[in-house]
Amino acid sequence: MSGTSASMTGKASPLGEEIVSRINRLAAISETADNLTRIFLTSEHRAAADLIMGWMGDAGMRAHLDAIGNVCGRYEGQRPGLPCLMLGSHYDTVRDAGKWDGPLGLIAAISCIADLNKRGRRLPFAIEVTGFADEEGVRFASTLLGSRAVAGTFDERALASKDEAGISLREALVQFGLDPDQIGKAARRRGELLAYLELHIEQGPVLESRDLPVGVVTAIAGATRLSARLTGMAGHAGTVPMALRRDALAGSAECISAIEQSCRSGGDGLVGTVGTIHVAPGATNVIPGQAHFTIDIRAPTDTHRNRAVAEIVRQIEAITKRRSLELQLDVTHENRTVPCAHWLKAQVAEAVAAEGYPVFELPSGAGHDGMAMADIADVAMLFVRCRGGLSHHPDEHVEPADVEAGARVLLRLIENFRPRDAAQ
Ligand SMILES: [Zn+2]
């Protein structure tokens, strides 16, 4: 299919080959030799930034490192100083990561611009590519530090947070050669951006199950996290009759089943996960007196998620009441759903169709830099299929043909991009 589209657009040179080879070069920059770990404000971060800025320069962009360590490249439009279409993704990783999560979107964007540059093509807007320095939040337990700085929503209090070695974010920035007091300068104004667009691997199995190389993202799902503490009565496993027990773990098990059932029947895109549980006292011959578990609920719209959370809370309250268990239920984290802008999503769909692929829409269950960027720009995302839906894992894989498909769609999208006012 990419052969057809290449002949349709009259461009013979494939984009995918260069992207895959750069993905591999970037993946070699790791804290450890036998797996991929690239953490914010480390020497690997520095080496990766230098490599990426070199690629940006080769693509005809002006590149610099901003005050939080993001790499920023700019390709001028038909005249200098025009507002930009911003493309981007992150180049930090989780520990023992896959090499595609983040870098694919960043490197594909640079290769698309290199292609424009090679043809001497300038558009009626500038294009900027931002490689976000910290999306995963591995080092300082706070995600999206890079994109929040660009969006102007960086929380100064984060500077005091410390990594495992006791080094504060402020100290780490200074050691890296950045000035923590200049982070405000990384912020961009709304008027400078026409839109923010991100290509990313799906990190889930939906596109693969539909046999599609690319998908149009409808929204980045919001999430609610809760913590549930159930207290009953510990007792001897041999002497307390079943009818007289107040078993906190058995009560939790019933709650967990109810959460699963509720999310299974709660409509499209609703997902609920109990990812941790701790039981006390925790012995074979003791009835559990206490249990503590976490709940993570996500849905493509806030109304849907809030309705599901309310229903789950109601069920947990009913179960614990019937079992005479004390309940402490707290919301520990909440973030809103970021819908992709209709006008921009329509252009993503148009580019997908023009490249000869069926247009398939899906929500993003995972968080992305677009969540922060939505504060200063309309956002949209293009997903590329990854093998088995596997991500945050060394076996994460994208087929070269899918890299080519994603890059082709992105390039077409850039070349046909119309700003909001012109698009309506
Ligand atoms: Zn990512």
Side-chain angles (χ1 to χ4, degrees):
M1 208 166 281
S2 57
T4 317
S5 61
S7 62
M8 268 160 48
T9 51
K11 292 183 290 283
S13 61
L15 292 164
E17 233 165 81
E18 178 181 74
I19 296 168
V20 172
S21 96
R22 286 180 170 180
I23 290 275
N24 289 327
R25 279 184 68 190
L26 191 60
I29 302 175
S30 171
E31 198 176 289
T32 46
D34 46 0
N35 61 11
L36 173 55
T37 301
R38 198 168 47 243
I39 308 295
F40 184 40
L41 302 176
T42 57
S43 56
E44 294 77 36
H45 173 181
R46 166 71 67 187
D50 288 344
L51 183 61
I52 296 163
M53 287 193 291
W55 291 333
M56 287 175 162
D58 293 344
M61 310 177 82
R62 218 169 50 238
H64 73 279
L65 204 63
D66 76 5
I68 191 97
N70 297 322
V71 288
C72 308
R74 182 174 166 95
Y75 183 73
E76 293 292 351
Q78 286 159 356
R79 53 192 167 81
L82 291 169
C84 73
L85 166 64
M86 189 181 278
L87 312 171
S89 201
H90 60 98
Y91 67 105
D92 65 323
T93 71
V94 295
R95 293 195 179 278
D96 202 9
K99 60 190 176 187
W100 307 89
D101 171 10
L104 179 61
L106 177 57
I107 291 172
I110 297 169
S111 288
C112 286
I113 293 172
D115 189 88
L116 296 176
N117 187 50
K118 206 162 57 191
R119 288 182 280 136
R121 183 128 157 80
R122 296 280 167 178
L123 298 165
F125 49 88
I127 309 167
E128 293 194 17
V129 177
T130 309
F132 296 107
D134 175 79
E135 190 265 359
E136 303 286 4
V138 172
R139 184 164 179 186
F140 294 102
S142 171
T143 61
L144 308 181
L145 291 173
S147 43
R148 287 211 178 102
V150 174
T153 54
F154 178 83
D155 185 348
E156 296 275 319
R157 285 172 297 184
L159 290 171
S161 57
K162 292 186 172 166
D163 68 6
E164 277 175 1
I167 300 167
S168 71
L169 172 53
R170 176 179 286 280
E171 290 161 343
L173 284 161
V174 172
Q175 283 170 14
F176 192 83
L178 295 167
D179 181 353
D181 298 323
Q182 301 297 313
I183 287 177
K185 291 198 174 149
R188 304 298 297 272
R189 279 178 303 107
R190 181 169 269 276
E192 296 176 302
L193 272 67
L194 298 169
Y196 173 76
L197 193 65
E198 180 166 350
L199 177 153
H200 200 283
I201 59 166
E202 182 201 346
Q203 302 182 281
V206 177
L207 291 175
E208 190 176 77
S209 73
R210 302 250 170 183
D211 199 21
L212 293 171
V214 291
V216 182
V217 178
T218 52
I220 306 170
T224 304
R225 289 187 189 152
L226 302 106
S227 143
R229 288 176 190 279
L230 277 56
T231 307
M233 179 67 83
H236 195 291
T239 62
V240 184
M242 294 310 283
L244 299 180
R245 293 188 181 199
R246 291 167 58 214
D247 184 329
L249 180 57
S252 297
E254 194 180 339
C255 293
I256 294 166
S257 287
I259 294 164
E260 187 189 34
Q261 198 45 51
S262 194
C263 292
R264 272 171 182 262
S265 59
D268 245 14
L270 175 65
V271 286
T273 307
V274 173
T276 69
I277 183 158
H278 293 98
V279 179
T284 311
N285 58 354
V286 181
I287 300 163
Q290 289 190 321
H292 170 217
F293 61 92
T294 57
I295 312 166
D296 180 304
I297 308 286
R298 306 184 195 207
T301 70
D302 290 335
T303 329
H304 192 179
R305 175 171 46 87
N306 291 333
R307 205 188 322 123
V309 169
E311 169 60 18
I312 284 164
V313 166
R314 194 193 61 73
Q315 291 196 40
I316 292 175
E317 283 172 348
I319 291 163
T320 50
K321 190 173 175 213
R322 172 163 44 75
R323 287 174 167 265
S324 302
L325 297 166
E326 280 167 40
L327 171 68
Q328 194 190 330
L329 194 58
D330 300 301
V331 173
T332 54
H333 165 98
E334 189 152 34
N335 63 268
R336 70 194 159 89
T337 293
V338 172
C340 291
H342 277 286
W343 68 272
L344 193 57
K345 192 175 62 133
Q347 293 188 30
V348 179
E350 220 173 83
V352 168
E355 284 298 320
Y357 304 110
V359 173
F360 175 73
E361 297 195 339
L362 73 169
S364 171
H368 293 289
D369 288 302
M371 296 166 84
M373 293 304 293
D375 284 329
I376 50 163
D378 283 347
V379 305
M381 291 188 76
L382 172 72
F383 270 172
V384 175
R385 165 169 61 187
C386 59
R387 187 175 63 197
L390 191 64
S391 185
H392 286 186
H393 190 284
D395 292 341
E396 186 180 272
H397 178 72
V398 181
E399 286 301 324
D402 292 352
V403 173
E404 181 70 25
R408 285 279 152 212
V409 173
L410 185 63
L411 180 59
R412 188 180 283 269
L413 190 49
I414 296 168
E415 289 197 79
N416 292 339
F417 175 73
R418 282 106 52 218
R420 180 177 193 157
D421 294 335
Q424 283 174 335

